[in-house]
Amino acid sequence: MNAPHQKLTNFVVSAYNDWHVEEWAGAYPGRILPLAILPVWDVAAAVEEVTRLAAKGVKAVTFPETPYALGLPSFSTDHWDPILKALCDTNMVMCLHIGGAFKLLQRPKEYSIDQHIIMSPQLSAVACTDLMVGGVFNKFPSLKVAMSEGGIGWIPLLLDRIDLHMENQTWNGLDLGGLNGTESFRRNFLGCFISNPSSLLLRHRIGIESIAWECDYPHSDSTWPRSPEILHAELEAAEVSDEERHLISWQNACRFFDFNPFVELSEQQATVGALRARSADVDTTTTSRAEYRRRFEAALSGAST
Amino acid sequence: MNAPHQKLTNFVVSAYNDWHVEEWAGAYPGRILPLAILPVWDVAAAVEEVTRLAAKGVKAVTFPETPYALGLPSFSTDHWDPILKALCDTNMVMCLHIGGAFKLLQRPKEYSIDQHIIMSPQLSAVACTDLMVGGVFNKFPSLKVAMSEGGIGWIPLLLDRIDLHMENQTWNGLDLGGLNGTESFRRNFLGCFISNPSSLLLRHRIGIESIAWECDYPHSDSTWPRSPEILHAELEAAEVSDEERHLISWQNACRFFDFNPFVELSEQQATVGALRARSADVDTTTTSRAEYRRRFEAALSGAST
């Protein structure tokens, strides 16, 4: 994008990735799965970075949900093919974070932040449709895509709609490499949700191996620190079996990202109860900004005396 | 919009409505519920037309799903208030047809008609969100809105999302007149679907009185002439009770539009079997364009000899 400094910018991207992979995530093996960034303005450099990262054992890169919204070519062009091929060759996951597609939606000046927050997850369907219907998986059938924080609520409708469209409007000749929409989705995607009680009822329509829970800590959209209780209540309400709970709460993510979480902790040490017992000193009470300011100022004045 | 001819255009709109209501729908009382159009470029004239139509017994007007997409003010402004008030005062339904919001979504030149068809129903959520979150029902709590052909697949996600947002991010202060998203939706909306097998499983999340089936005849998106069989299979798969089938297939629509379908036919005469028996002479076989051309040309040459 900023061509004169492109080499420098690419170097900074690699430096960030090294810090992120080795120092930040590397300090806690099995706990944090690093998510690398790519120099998306320079396809050749991005391919080189994917190869470099793969050699370090990196499993995932983040990518714009809808590159077209950033003024870059869309997924329906061949522009991204070298990067997508490199991701397939190295078995890395492309993570598309919610919200990118929102830039594509023209909004009046009087719309509110509520409208933005509420609509965002519906628009992950745009990114998913662009990839599936745009022919990306016809070229790269092994490409893995995680719809990060995109929720899973739009998936049943999208699959119903694609499958009916392919059956009912055959005159369009849509070809998903011999698969229908449901089969194509389950082969290539992982849906990721924070809270979606209704959609858990449709888990078998989505595909029980295509759903991963996330808690979005420390963002305000998170249900933390009540996340385990809220997830548990949603799983109970949807009568999800124990086997399916394991798939949804960690096994699907670990399989999809080829990630082993049991490096420093065993499975028994990684339960909600065991982890909470280990962190009994952490204050998770709701604290007002005013109280934080008071504590901060008290600490400052204590430090200066 | 075309100010110099505005009076003439308004006159043509009224003339169309008179033909549509009296001749086209009026020829079959109880069979066709007329759907009037309004001069949306002239709020005062639109109010006058609503009042004029109500006196003729008209129950429904069509309206742009997202007026902002047509260069008109959004539903978050006060611009439409006189029309919305007139609709409430006359107990008329505002029908928002799918697809209007698609103009708001910026698409690359290489996107396909498949992407358009597949994405359209997700975007009915934009129109619904704009009305609910934009405060329209705080001003007009009795306004009735039918999401024509919008499907019902986006509704569970939208309701989950609004309800969580209002509970989890109270700092935004979103006020839906004391209701949560689910309550507000059920009070004001009718969801309309052609085929949505997954969403029928969530009918109680949506609200069993907020769902109406439609067959979209004679558009290519229709399942006609297999519509009864396809709906029946979807209702069976979702284990929908007889009582709920009546609600979904006709009672909800008749209640919402205050429409009596049993004017010329009794309920017994209006079943699928009875109606098919009455129309045994209608050819519903799939016929190719070439065959239609052959028949047409044969008829022409027969007429000329």
Side-chain angles (χ1 to χ4, degrees), chain A residues 134-153:
Chain A
V136 165
F137 304 111
N138 294 3
K139 294 182 281 186
F140 305 104
S142 66
L143 181 66
K144 296 190 290 186
V145 182
M147 301 300 293
S148 307
E149 212 184 315
I152 55 173

PDB file of all heavy atoms in Angstrom, chain A residues 134-153:
ATOM      1  N   GLY A 134     -17.487 -17.897  -4.832  1.00  0.00           N
ATOM      2  CA  GLY A 134     -16.480 -17.286  -5.692  1.00  0.00           C
ATOM      3  C   GLY A 134     -15.470 -18.281  -6.257  1.00  0.00           C
ATOM      4  O   GLY A 134     -14.603 -17.906  -7.042  1.00  0.00           O
ATOM      5  N   GLY A 135     -15.554 -19.546  -5.845  1.00  0.00           N
ATOM      6  CA  GLY A 135     -14.733 -20.582  -6.474  1.00  0.00           C
ATOM      7  C   GLY A 135     -13.386 -20.848  -5.822  1.00  0.00           C
ATOM      8  O   GLY A 135     -12.566 -21.592  -6.364  1.00  0.00           O
ATOM      9  N   VAL A 136     -13.135 -20.253  -4.651  1.00  0.00           N
ATOM     10  CA  VAL A 136     -11.825 -20.428  -4.004  1.00  0.00           C
ATOM     11  C   VAL A 136     -11.532 -21.906  -3.708  1.00  0.00           C
ATOM     12  O   VAL A 136     -10.421 -22.387  -3.927  1.00  0.00           O
ATOM     13  CB  VAL A 136     -11.756 -19.579  -2.702  1.00  0.00           C
ATOM     14  CG1 VAL A 136     -10.582 -20.007  -1.828  1.00  0.00           C
ATOM     15  CG2 VAL A 136     -11.647 -18.100  -3.059  1.00  0.00           C
ATOM     16  N   PHE A 137     -12.544 -22.640  -3.245  1.00  0.00           N
ATOM     17  CA  PHE A 137     -12.295 -24.035  -2.854  1.00  0.00           C
ATOM     18  C   PHE A 137     -12.276 -24.989  -4.047  1.00  0.00           C
ATOM     19  O   PHE A 137     -11.850 -26.131  -3.903  1.00  0.00           O
ATOM     20  CB  PHE A 137     -13.315 -24.483  -1.798  1.00  0.00           C
ATOM     21  CG  PHE A 137     -13.318 -23.583  -0.599  1.00  0.00           C
ATOM     22  CD1 PHE A 137     -14.389 -22.758  -0.331  1.00  0.00           C
ATOM     23  CD2 PHE A 137     -12.209 -23.529   0.236  1.00  0.00           C
ATOM     24  CE1 PHE A 137     -14.385 -21.906   0.759  1.00  0.00           C
ATOM     25  CE2 PHE A 137     -12.181 -22.685   1.324  1.00  0.00           C
ATOM     26  CZ  PHE A 137     -13.273 -21.864   1.589  1.00  0.00           C
ATOM     27  N   ASN A 138     -12.762 -24.514  -5.189  1.00  0.00           N
ATOM     28  CA  ASN A 138     -12.568 -25.318  -6.397  1.00  0.00           C
ATOM     29  C   ASN A 138     -11.077 -25.352  -6.745  1.00  0.00           C
ATOM     30  O   ASN A 138     -10.568 -26.358  -7.234  1.00  0.00           O
ATOM     31  CB  ASN A 138     -13.371 -24.748  -7.569  1.00  0.00           C
ATOM     32  CG  ASN A 138     -14.876 -24.858  -7.349  1.00  0.00           C
ATOM     33  OD1 ASN A 138     -15.310 -25.307  -6.291  1.00  0.00           O
ATOM     34  ND2 ASN A 138     -15.659 -24.462  -8.328  1.00  0.00           N
ATOM     35  N   LYS A 139     -10.389 -24.245  -6.453  1.00  0.00           N
ATOM     36  CA  LYS A 139      -8.946 -24.189  -6.700  1.00  0.00           C
ATOM     37  C   LYS A 139      -8.154 -24.777  -5.538  1.00  0.00           C
ATOM     38  O   LYS A 139      -7.121 -25.405  -5.747  1.00  0.00           O
ATOM     39  CB  LYS A 139      -8.513 -22.728  -6.926  1.00  0.00           C
ATOM     40  CG  LYS A 139      -9.066 -22.099  -8.194  1.00  0.00           C
ATOM     41  CD  LYS A 139      -8.559 -20.667  -8.390  1.00  0.00           C
ATOM     42  CE  LYS A 139      -9.324 -19.678  -7.511  1.00  0.00           C
ATOM     43  NZ  LYS A 139      -8.952 -18.275  -7.785  1.00  0.00           N
ATOM     44  N   PHE A 140      -8.624 -24.569  -4.313  1.00  0.00           N
ATOM     45  CA  PHE A 140      -7.880 -24.998  -3.124  1.00  0.00           C
ATOM     46  C   PHE A 140      -8.789 -25.782  -2.176  1.00  0.00           C
ATOM     47  O   PHE A 140      -9.204 -25.282  -1.128  1.00  0.00           O
ATOM     48  CB  PHE A 140      -7.285 -23.772  -2.411  1.00  0.00           C
ATOM     49  CG  PHE A 140      -6.434 -22.936  -3.313  1.00  0.00           C
ATOM     50  CD1 PHE A 140      -6.908 -21.736  -3.820  1.00  0.00           C
ATOM     51  CD2 PHE A 140      -5.180 -23.387  -3.709  1.00  0.00           C
ATOM     52  CE1 PHE A 140      -6.133 -20.973  -4.681  1.00  0.00           C
ATOM     53  CE2 PHE A 140      -4.403 -22.638  -4.575  1.00  0.00           C
ATOM     54  CZ  PHE A 140      -4.877 -21.429  -5.066  1.00  0.00           C
ATOM     55  N   PRO A 141      -9.102 -27.024  -2.550  1.00  0.00           N
ATOM     56  CA  PRO A 141     -10.078 -27.783  -1.741  1.00  0.00           C
ATOM     57  C   PRO A 141      -9.607 -28.066  -0.319  1.00  0.00           C
ATOM     58  O   PRO A 141     -10.439 -28.360   0.538  1.00  0.00           O
ATOM     59  CB  PRO A 141     -10.277 -29.082  -2.542  1.00  0.00           C
ATOM     60  CG  PRO A 141      -9.183 -29.135  -3.549  1.00  0.00           C
ATOM     61  CD  PRO A 141      -8.694 -27.742  -3.767  1.00  0.00           C
ATOM     62  N   SER A 142      -8.319 -27.955  -0.029  1.00  0.00           N
ATOM     63  CA  SER A 142      -7.864 -28.249   1.334  1.00  0.00           C
ATOM     64  C   SER A 142      -7.675 -26.996   2.183  1.00  0.00           C
ATOM     65  O   SER A 142      -7.224 -27.076   3.322  1.00  0.00           O
ATOM     66  CB  SER A 142      -6.561 -29.057   1.297  1.00  0.00           C
ATOM     67  OG  SER A 142      -5.513 -28.276   0.754  1.00  0.00           O
ATOM     68  N   LEU A 143      -8.044 -25.821   1.655  1.00  0.00           N
ATOM     69  CA  LEU A 143      -7.889 -24.581   2.424  1.00  0.00           C
ATOM     70  C   LEU A 143      -8.792 -24.590   3.654  1.00  0.00           C
ATOM     71  O   LEU A 143      -9.979 -24.886   3.558  1.00  0.00           O
ATOM     72  CB  LEU A 143      -8.222 -23.370   1.537  1.00  0.00           C
ATOM     73  CG  LEU A 143      -8.072 -21.990   2.197  1.00  0.00           C
ATOM     74  CD1 LEU A 143      -6.616 -21.701   2.543  1.00  0.00           C
ATOM     75  CD2 LEU A 143      -8.640 -20.892   1.293  1.00  0.00           C
ATOM     76  N   LYS A 144      -8.222 -24.260   4.823  1.00  0.00           N
ATOM     77  CA  LYS A 144      -8.991 -24.235   6.065  1.00  0.00           C
ATOM     78  C   LYS A 144      -9.254 -22.784   6.474  1.00  0.00           C
ATOM     79  O   LYS A 144      -8.311 -21.989   6.564  1.00  0.00           O
ATOM     80  CB  LYS A 144      -8.233 -24.948   7.187  1.00  0.00           C
ATOM     81  CG  LYS A 144      -8.015 -26.431   6.915  1.00  0.00           C
ATOM     82  CD  LYS A 144      -7.472 -27.150   8.150  1.00  0.00           C
ATOM     83  CE  LYS A 144      -6.036 -26.740   8.442  1.00  0.00           C
ATOM     84  NZ  LYS A 144      -5.444 -27.546   9.550  1.00  0.00           N
ATOM     85  N   VAL A 145     -10.521 -22.467   6.759  1.00  0.00           N
ATOM     86  CA  VAL A 145     -10.912 -21.098   7.090  1.00  0.00           C
ATOM     87  C   VAL A 145     -11.691 -21.093   8.401  1.00  0.00           C
ATOM     88  O   VAL A 145     -12.719 -21.752   8.518  1.00  0.00           O
ATOM     89  CB  VAL A 145     -11.787 -20.485   5.974  1.00  0.00           C
ATOM     90  CG1 VAL A 145     -12.150 -19.045   6.322  1.00  0.00           C
ATOM     91  CG2 VAL A 145     -11.083 -20.552   4.623  1.00  0.00           C
ATOM     92  N   ALA A 146     -11.198 -20.342   9.385  1.00  0.00           N
ATOM     93  CA  ALA A 146     -11.934 -20.173  10.649  1.00  0.00           C
ATOM     94  C   ALA A 146     -12.626 -18.811  10.624  1.00  0.00           C
ATOM     95  O   ALA A 146     -11.982 -17.794  10.369  1.00  0.00           O
ATOM     96  CB  ALA A 146     -10.986 -20.264  11.842  1.00  0.00           C
ATOM     97  N   MET A 147     -13.938 -18.803  10.880  1.00  0.00           N
ATOM     98  CA  MET A 147     -14.699 -17.542  10.883  1.00  0.00           C
ATOM     99  C   MET A 147     -14.650 -16.960  12.298  1.00  0.00           C
ATOM    100  O   MET A 147     -15.626 -17.008  13.060  1.00  0.00           O
ATOM    101  CB  MET A 147     -16.134 -17.795  10.431  1.00  0.00           C
ATOM    102  CG  MET A 147     -16.244 -18.389   9.036  1.00  0.00           C
ATOM    103  SD  MET A 147     -15.516 -17.352   7.724  1.00  0.00           S
ATOM    104  CE  MET A 147     -16.635 -15.953   7.765  1.00  0.00           C
ATOM    105  N   SER A 148     -13.512 -16.352  12.619  1.00  0.00           N
ATOM    106  CA  SER A 148     -13.242 -15.911  13.985  1.00  0.00           C
ATOM    107  C   SER A 148     -14.277 -14.918  14.497  1.00  0.00           C
ATOM    108  O   SER A 148     -14.493 -13.868  13.891  1.00  0.00           O
ATOM    109  CB  SER A 148     -11.860 -15.262  14.051  1.00  0.00           C
ATOM    110  OG  SER A 148     -10.882 -16.110  13.513  1.00  0.00           O
ATOM    111  N   GLU A 149     -14.885 -15.263  15.601  1.00  0.00           N
ATOM    112  CA  GLU A 149     -15.872 -14.412  16.279  1.00  0.00           C
ATOM    113  C   GLU A 149     -17.083 -14.135  15.400  1.00  0.00           C
ATOM    114  O   GLU A 149     -17.888 -13.260  15.712  1.00  0.00           O
ATOM    115  CB  GLU A 149     -15.225 -13.091  16.742  1.00  0.00           C
ATOM    116  CG  GLU A 149     -15.850 -12.547  18.016  1.00  0.00           C
ATOM    117  CD  GLU A 149     -15.281 -11.189  18.415  1.00  0.00           C
ATOM    118  OE1 GLU A 149     -14.041 -11.044  18.372  1.00  0.00           O
ATOM    119  OE2 GLU A 149     -16.057 -10.307  18.775  1.00  0.00           O
ATOM    120  N   GLY A 150     -17.225 -14.859  14.308  1.00  0.00           N
ATOM    121  CA  GLY A 150     -18.331 -14.610  13.387  1.00  0.00           C
ATOM    122  C   GLY A 150     -19.659 -15.174  13.853  1.00  0.00           C
ATOM    123  O   GLY A 150     -20.685 -14.952  13.222  1.00  0.00           O
ATOM    124  N   GLY A 151     -19.639 -15.931  14.943  1.00  0.00           N
ATOM    125  CA  GLY A 151     -20.872 -16.586  15.376  1.00  0.00           C
ATOM    126  C   GLY A 151     -21.244 -17.704  14.419  1.00  0.00           C
ATOM    127  O   GLY A 151     -20.594 -17.907  13.381  1.00  0.00           O
ATOM    128  N   ILE A 152     -22.276 -18.451  14.786  1.00  0.00           N
ATOM    129  CA  ILE A 152     -22.694 -19.574  13.941  1.00  0.00           C
ATOM    130  C   ILE A 152     -24.159 -19.429  13.521  1.00  0.00           C
ATOM    131  O   ILE A 152     -24.716 -20.312  12.888  1.00  0.00           O
ATOM    132  CB  ILE A 152     -22.471 -20.924  14.646  1.00  0.00           C
ATOM    133  CG1 ILE A 152     -23.171 -20.938  16.015  1.00  0.00           C
ATOM    134  CG2 ILE A 152     -20.984 -21.211  14.807  1.00  0.00           C
ATOM    135  CD1 ILE A 152     -23.136 -22.303  16.697  1.00  0.00           C
ATOM    136  N   GLY A 153     -24.748 -18.281  13.842  1.00  0.00           N
ATOM    137  CA  GLY A 153     -26.176 -18.101  13.609  1.00  0.00           C
ATOM    138  C   GLY A 153     -26.567 -18.001  12.149  1.00  0.00           C
ATOM    139  O   GLY A 153     -27.674 -18.361  11.764  1.00  0.00           O
TER     140      GLY A 153
END
